[in-house]
């Protein structure tokens, strides 16, 4: 399976099988590839771990059921079914909660834009259970953050860092250096992320430049209107979100591939919008990865005769991250350094780069390591370099079970 000079056939068979299962428009060729990979030999336990890690269990099961009966061992099929059922039940629960939150906020005059989650599953697959979802993400206007907090409190949620709503110092620092507030209900794993910016670094994509509210689109589910980003903006958001995380989950690459399939792109509009927003690099990288993994053509607008070396390097790193399939936090110092350099290439502007370097030492991100009372909050300015070094180089988190 050599594609565009990249030896995908050297990847583990289980990972190649996942890639084929994530293909947005599988035909006879993809089904033949699936059969060939399986008959050549599969470590089924590794496949289950990889599918669960990359959060593509539902896609894998949906594709494998189209193969000749008997190719998949019965115990493996049963295990996939249990994982898929768990994912489906979670998706249904998330959608029920999403509708409740949207209606409660709308009743109080707060409009939410739904990001990713079950709404994206609807857009991509027409089925909320086909895409694995971990939490709910919303975009709100900055002036509505406190009001949203009050509404969510009435629904039983509490902010994971409640001090930002009681201390003006914490609020000022938090909103300048973070992009969302996390909420949870006691005893539950569901997490809500209420975004007042799409990304932590405001120079990745500013709210003013995005103009999300005037460009937003809507869909209706069970009689409730749900706002989403405009089609082109949503595609760019998916590309940038995955690129920032170096695409360590195949789910995100599948999202981009399925988005291009479900919402055929106006490539000229996409290229123009990405250029205006200064996000042509992550978009070009995303489409290069789509071409490599899913044999999808790339328009000349994103495949020039002399490609950007930064895009090629970002694409190479992303493929390496997918290939290694390692849990975040289990990498060594060299990989930490490579990730820092990678993120510096995301945008060309010096404002973005300077803000990124500043955020490496952002003081509030270290409060989980050392908690100081509000009166001693300024001491973080002195302690930050030491806390940053401890967090990134001395405190090594063991990988979680896959």
């Amino acid at each position: 399976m050599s594609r565009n000079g990249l030896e995908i056939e050297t990847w583990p068979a289980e990972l190649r099988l996942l890639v084929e299962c994530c293909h947005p428009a599988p035909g006879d060729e993809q089904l033949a590839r699936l059969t060939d990979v399986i008959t050549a030999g599969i470590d089924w336990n590794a496949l289950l771990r990889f599918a669960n890690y990359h959060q593509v269990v539902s896609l894998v099961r949906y594709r494998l059921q189209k193969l000749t009966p008997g190719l998949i061992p019965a115990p493996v099929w049963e295990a996939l079914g249990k994982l898929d059922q768990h994912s489906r039940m979670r998706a249904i629960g998330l959608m029920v909660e999403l509708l409740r939150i949207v209606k409660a906020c709308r009743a109080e005059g707060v409009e939410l834009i739904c990001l990713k989650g079950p709404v994206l599953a609807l857009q991509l697959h027409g089925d909320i259970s086909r895409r694995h979802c971990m939490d709910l993400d919303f975009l709100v206007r900055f002036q509505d953050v406190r009001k949203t907090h009050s509404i969510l409190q009435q629904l039983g949620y509490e902010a994971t860092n409640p001090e930002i709503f009681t201390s003006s110092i914490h609020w000022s620092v938090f909103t300048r250096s973070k992009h969302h507030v996390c909420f949870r209900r006691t005893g539950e794993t569901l997490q809500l992320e209420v975004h007042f910016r799409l990304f932590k670094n405001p120079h990745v994509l500013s709210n003013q430049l995005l103009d999300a509210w005037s460009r937003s689109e809507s869909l209706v589910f069970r009689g409730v209107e749900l706002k989403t980003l405009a089609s082109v903006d949503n595609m760019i958001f998916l590309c940038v979100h995955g690129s920032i995380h170096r695409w360590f989950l195949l789910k995100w690459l599948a999202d981009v591939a399925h988005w291009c399939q479900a919402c055929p792109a106006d490539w000229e509009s996409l290229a123009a919008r990405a250029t205006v927003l200064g996000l042509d690099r992550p978009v070009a990288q995303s489409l290069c990865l789509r071409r490599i993994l899913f044999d999808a053509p790339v328009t000349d607008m994103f495949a020039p005769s002399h490609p950007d070396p930064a895009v090629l390097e970002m694409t190479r790193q992303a493929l390496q991250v997918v290939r290694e399939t390692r849990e975040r936090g289990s990498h060594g110092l060299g990989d930490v350094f490579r990730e820092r350099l990678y993120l510096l290439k995301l945008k060309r502007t010096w404002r973005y780069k300077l803000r990124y370097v500043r955020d490496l030492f952002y003081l509030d991100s270290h409060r989980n390591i050392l908690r100081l009372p509000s009166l001693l909050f300024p001491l973080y300015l002195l302690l930050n370099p030491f806390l940053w070094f401890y967090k990134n180089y001395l405190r090594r988190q063991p990988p979680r079970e896959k």
Side-chain angles (χ1 to χ4, degrees), residues 92-387:
I92 292 170
L94 286 174
M95 194 59 168
V96 170
E97 191 62 13
L98 181 146
L99 296 176
R100 187 171 80 106
I101 292 169
V102 168
K103 289 191 287 187
C105 288
R106 186 167 291 156
E108 298 296 330
V110 175
E111 283 293 339
L112 306 175
I113 289 181
C114 302
L115 304 172
K116 303 180 293 180
V119 173
L120 179 59
L122 271 180
Q123 294 173 299
L124 298 183
H125 309 287
D127 181 350
I128 62 173
S129 64
R130 191 73 62 77
R131 181 182 185 273
H132 186 83
C133 305
M134 294 295 293
D135 49 30
L136 294 175
D137 295 76
F138 302 100
L139 178 66
V140 302
R141 293 181 175 90
F142 180 76
Q143 60 267 29
D144 287 335
V145 174
R146 289 182 178 274
K147 191 172 184 180
T148 304
H149 172 232
S150 299
I151 297 170
L152 291 176
Q153 279 187 314
Q154 295 173 18
L155 296 178
Y157 289 91
E158 289 295 340
T160 56
N161 42 0
E163 66 275 4
I164 65 174
F165 294 104
T166 57
S167 166
S168 58
I169 296 177
H170 286 299
W171 174 258
S172 177
V173 172
F174 184 89
T175 55
R176 288 182 183 183
S177 302
K178 293 290 187 180
H179 64 297
H180 67 254
V181 184
C182 294
F183 294 86
R184 288 183 183 273
R185 283 194 300 206
T186 303
E188 295 188 8
T189 59
L190 171 61
Q191 177 170 287
L192 306 182
E193 294 185 0
V194 176
H195 298 247
F196 46 88
R197 283 194 302 270
L198 287 179
F199 302 104
K200 177 180 175 182
N201 186 331
H203 299 300
V204 172
L205 183 59
S206 70
N207 287 0
Q208 292 75 20
L209 191 58
L210 177 64
D211 197 18
W213 299 98
S214 65
R215 293 170 52 86
S216 65
E217 299 174 359
S218 299
L219 60 85
V220 177
F221 183 79
R222 301 290 175 86
V224 180
E225 181 186 9
L226 303 173
K227 288 188 176 296
T228 67
L229 295 173
S231 180
V232 169
D233 293 344
N234 213 346
M235 173 65 173
I236 292 175
F237 170 64
L238 294 176
C239 292
V240 178
H241 174 266
S243 186
I244 284 177
H245 294 291
R246 295 199 298 173
W247 303 99
F248 73 86
L249 291 182
L250 268 176
K251 177 179 75 170
W252 297 328
L253 286 166
D255 287 344
V256 170
H258 282 268
W259 184 270
C260 292
Q261 183 73 19
C263 310
D266 176 348
W267 297 114
E268 187 173 345
S269 297
L270 179 63
R273 183 70 169 155
T275 301
V276 166
L277 298 174
L279 295 171
D280 49 306
R281 279 182 175 175
V283 172
Q285 179 210 29
S286 306
L287 296 179
C288 284
L289 290 167
R290 170 176 170 259
R291 178 194 64 196
I292 292 166
L293 296 180
F294 305 117
D295 290 331
V298 177
T299 176
D300 291 343
M301 297 175 186
F302 293 100
S305 56
H306 300 288
D308 185 343
V311 173
L312 295 179
E313 175 58 22
M314 290 167 65
T315 301
R316 186 195 66 78
Q317 279 203 43
L319 287 171
Q320 181 179 350
V321 169
V322 174
R323 164 67 177 81
E324 293 176 348
T325 308
R326 289 184 301 180
E327 189 71 39
R328 299 191 79 194
S330 66
H331 47 234
L333 300 185
D335 196 57
V336 171
F337 182 71
R338 284 190 293 272
E339 182 180 7
R340 302 291 186 250
L341 292 180
Y342 167 95
L343 289 172
L344 279 174
K345 298 173 184 175
L346 193 72
K347 291 191 73 173
R348 295 179 175 83
T349 66
W350 281 105
R351 292 184 70 186
Y352 161 77
K353 297 178 189 297
L354 290 173
R355 178 58 180 260
Y356 172 71
V357 173
R358 195 212 78 166
D359 282 348
L360 289 177
F361 299 94
Y362 167 53
L363 54 94
D364 194 59
S365 65
H366 303 140
R367 297 191 69 248
N368 290 332
I369 301 173
L370 177 64
R371 287 274 180 176
L372 294 178
S374 295
L375 290 177
L376 299 180
F377 194 77
L379 286 179
Y380 282 115
L381 295 172
L382 299 175
L383 296 173
N384 257 332
F386 304 101
L387 294 175

